[in-house]
Amino acid sequence: MGALLMTGACTQATGLAGVSAQSPSTAPVTGTPEVTATIPDVEHQSAEQPPTGGDAIKVPPPKLSKYSYTFPVKGCKTTYQRKLLVLPKTTIWAKQGCGFVAPIEGVVDEVSLQNRWNPATDAGADREGKFVTIIGDDGVRYLGGHLDSVADGVKPGARVKAGQLLGRIGRTGNARDTGPNLYFAISWKTGPAFWWVRRGMVKPWDYLDAWDSGNRTYSPREETLKLRGKLGETPGCTVQCAGRQAITPQSQPSGSSTPKPRKTRDQGDPPEVITPSIAPFGSQ
């Protein structure tokens, strides 16, 4: 027994200050770590449904001006041009008799109750046939032409509300050989002698798109005011200005084989409409 103890003491290596030179042994890891999270099975996952949201909330379009507009044709399916062809205006195609309504509250400016257009002369002032123009509360002039008829009580100086019936769509003027349509134009107030201004100065289709889609406060006032300041109130005619000179047997002198053209109304002569006194554009 004593021999064995001495042998063990002799074989044990010691380090400095009696510290063992052997590295302490690490106890082997036994068992598996405890799992605290639970993983749902597939059946449990499929049973869960995502939360359902409520109905979409419709956000109204932003208010872009203090004025309120409406599409100028009421109660009928329409199509219209969205590009510049000859004049900055548009042709709104609709069935015969559809209503042309005031696009904004304002005052009736000009009314043409007679279809004076003659294809032999094609006078510029007569091309819209029966028409109505109004000066809106925004100071802008709106024209609806090629009308079949003008509504009762619509006369120069009459106050109208947005959406009020002004006339019925037809084929008067130089639309005689086309389908019924509304000649729609945006400009500013001038005297009736300057009929080419009335026929359209501002491209209207962006405004029509907005009014038709529900943004009723998109206003042409700013664009119209800017263009009027650039061109002046009565710019000269530059597009489709001259009519034709009609030739008739009565205009041919005796003994002459060369027909003599008949003098037609000068483009500066005013059409037979009444224009009331309205505040100058931009003062509203």
Side-chain angles (χ1 to χ4, degrees):
M1 183 69 174
L4 289 173
L5 290 172
M6 289 183 66
T7 302
C10 291
T11 58
Q12 183 178 0
T14 58
L16 296 176
V19 179
S20 174
Q22 293 181 348
S23 299
S25 59
T26 303
V29 178
T30 60
T32 56
E34 183 181 356
V35 178
T36 58
T38 58
I39 302 175
D41 55 28
V42 175
E43 183 178 354
H44 180 70
Q45 285 182 317
S46 62
E48 293 184 357
Q49 298 295 330
T52 58
D55 295 336
I57 299 175
K58 294 183 179 181
V59 179
K63 188 173 182 179
L64 302 177
S65 74
K66 67 179 182 180
Y67 306 105
S68 181
Y69 299 86
T70 189
F71 195 77
V73 178
K74 186 175 183 179
C76 290
K77 184 178 180 180
T78 63
T79 59
Y80 53 91
Q81 299 168 340
R82 289 178 171 85
K83 60 182 179 180
L84 179 64
L85 296 178
V86 179
L87 294 168
K89 56 86 180 179
T90 193
T91 299
I92 303 178
W93 301 96
K95 291 183 179 180
Q96 181 93 8
C98 288
F100 164 49
V101 300
I104 185 176
E105 187 169 350
V107 176
V108 177
D109 183 34
E110 298 172 296
V111 178
S112 175
L113 296 173
Q114 298 180 20
N115 181 21
R116 298 184 177 87
W117 183 75
N118 184 340
T121 57
D122 191 30
D126 300 334
R127 287 174 184 145
E128 278 65 66
K130 297 179 182 181
F131 66 84
V132 174
T133 69
I134 70 167
I135 306 297
D137 287 350
D138 57 357
V140 178
R141 176 167 62 179
Y142 301 91
L143 162 70
H146 300 328
L147 300 179
D148 182 67
S149 61
V150 175
D152 293 341
V154 175
K155 56 184 179 180
R159 183 86 184 166
V160 294
K161 293 185 177 296
Q164 181 175 333
L165 181 67
L166 300 179
R168 298 287 179 182
I169 292 176
R171 297 166 53 189
T172 59
N174 62 357
R176 185 185 67 175
D177 298 325
T178 69
N181 67 85
L182 178 72
Y183 184 110
F184 185 76
I186 296 176
S187 63
W188 52 84
K189 180 175 173 60
T190 58
F194 302 95
W195 51 265
W196 52 89
V197 177
R198 178 183 70 219
R199 298 196 75 205
M201 301 298 293
V202 175
K203 299 172 184 177
W205 41 85
D206 287 346
Y207 303 103
L208 291 174
D209 286 346
W211 305 340
D212 192 35
S213 62
N215 192 337
R216 301 299 177 87
T217 61
Y218 188 40
S219 175
R221 174 182 169 83
E222 183 177 348
E223 183 180 1
T224 306
L225 180 62
K226 183 178 180 180
L227 185 60
R228 179 184 179 274
K230 179 181 178 180
L231 301 180
E233 181 180 340
T234 55
C237 184
T238 58
V239 180
Q240 291 186 341
C241 303
R244 302 186 184 96
Q245 291 183 323
I247 300 175
T248 64
Q250 291 79 9
S251 64
Q252 184 175 350
S254 177
S256 173
S257 59
T258 303
K260 181 179 180 180
R262 185 181 65 185
K263 183 179 179 180
T264 60
R265 185 172 64 183
D266 184 77
Q267 68 180 34
D269 292 340
E272 297 177 23
V273 292
I274 303 172
T275 305
S277 176
I278 304 293
F281 179 72
S283 65
Q284 286 80 0

